[in-house]
Amino acid sequence: LRVSIAGARHSMGGHTIYPDGIVVDMLPLNEMELHEERGTLTVQAGAIWKDVIDYLEPLGQSVKIMQSNNSFSVGGSISVNCHGWQYDQPPIASSVRRFRIMLADGKIVQCSRTENAELFSLALGGYGLFGIILDVELEVTRNARYRLEQYVVSINDALATFDEKINNRPDVEMAYARMN
């Protein structure tokens, strides 16, 4: 039988669902636990980012890196190694401490940079080809309010404005730009 993994169904949509195959709906797997002493959150792969934000915000915490919209699932974001809007940060894999993955034979394996390291690097961004990520331990950071600064400039001034307003300012933590 063919097995398809389904979270929020945004990263891969429904086109990976095989006719007459098995679809594993990850959305019910959405429990989470904050480990303040380690600065991490353990979250099941079916949780969507909105639920993660709602859980962490009253605790004064936020995820270090997440996919741009809050409607994606954590497992899907990990499986595609998404990037976020956090300025000058690498993709989400950089904030993953460990995860548990179910292999094709049903065996559950713990992975980190030191434990099953090859599988760790393959599954992050592996689109589910190496197994089903069940839960993940992510780095968190203090929650902060951001102040919006918006600049509309000509295309000729875009790079210089970016350097002046973002690149040369160490206090900038998030940036978003559209070229149009």
Side-chain angles (χ1 to χ4, degrees):
L1 288 174
R2 303 287 200 269
V3 177
S4 302
I5 309 163
R9 298 186 180 117
H10 292 302
S11 296
M12 294 301 291
H15 63 279
T16 63
I17 296 174
Y18 196 82
D20 300 318
I22 295 173
V23 176
V24 179
D25 180 4
M26 299 298 290
L27 292 180
L29 297 173
N30 59 10
E31 293 183 16
M32 53 197 94
E33 180 182 0
L34 178 64
H35 311 285
E36 283 191 76
E37 70 285 354
R38 293 196 306 254
T40 63
L41 172 75
T42 298
V43 58
Q44 290 181 318
I48 61 171
W49 290 111
K50 180 197 180 306
D51 295 333
V52 174
I53 292 167
D54 289 347
Y55 174 82
L56 289 174
E57 195 274 330
L59 303 171
Q61 299 292 311
S62 185
V63 289
K64 189 172 179 185
I65 298 171
M66 67 170 252
Q67 199 153 354
S68 56
N69 293 341
N70 68 1
S71 58
F72 294 104
S73 68
V74 171
S77 296
I78 301 300
S79 294
V80 301
N81 194 19
C82 72
H83 62 82
W85 289 353
Q86 295 81 356
Y87 174 65
D88 207 24
Q89 292 292 312
I92 196 168
S94 66
S95 69
V96 174
R97 295 264 182 97
R98 62 142 199 101
F99 59 82
R100 289 184 319 136
I101 188 170
M102 182 188 306
L103 305 178
D105 63 3
K107 182 178 175 185
I108 297 175
V109 176
Q110 175 108 340
C111 297
S112 70
R113 286 175 177 77
T114 58
E115 185 177 7
N116 297 306
E118 182 177 24
L119 183 56
F120 181 81
S121 66
L122 291 170
L124 293 170
Y127 287 87
L129 294 174
F130 300 94
I132 301 173
I133 295 175
L134 302 174
D135 55 41
V136 60
E137 186 175 350
L138 297 170
E139 294 175 7
V140 296
T141 187
R142 64 172 173 71
N143 198 11
R145 290 193 184 270
Y146 293 127
R147 181 174 41 87
L148 175 64
E149 293 179 17
Q150 184 174 352
Y151 305 95
V152 178
V153 299
S154 73
I155 191 71
N156 295 333
D157 297 330
L159 293 177
T161 302
F162 180 84
D163 285 340
E164 176 190 347
K165 304 294 185 185
I166 297 169
N167 238 8
N168 297 333
R169 288 183 48 197
D171 61 318
V172 172
E173 294 183 26
M174 188 170 287
Y176 181 74
R178 287 273 191 223
M179 300 294 269
N180 186 348

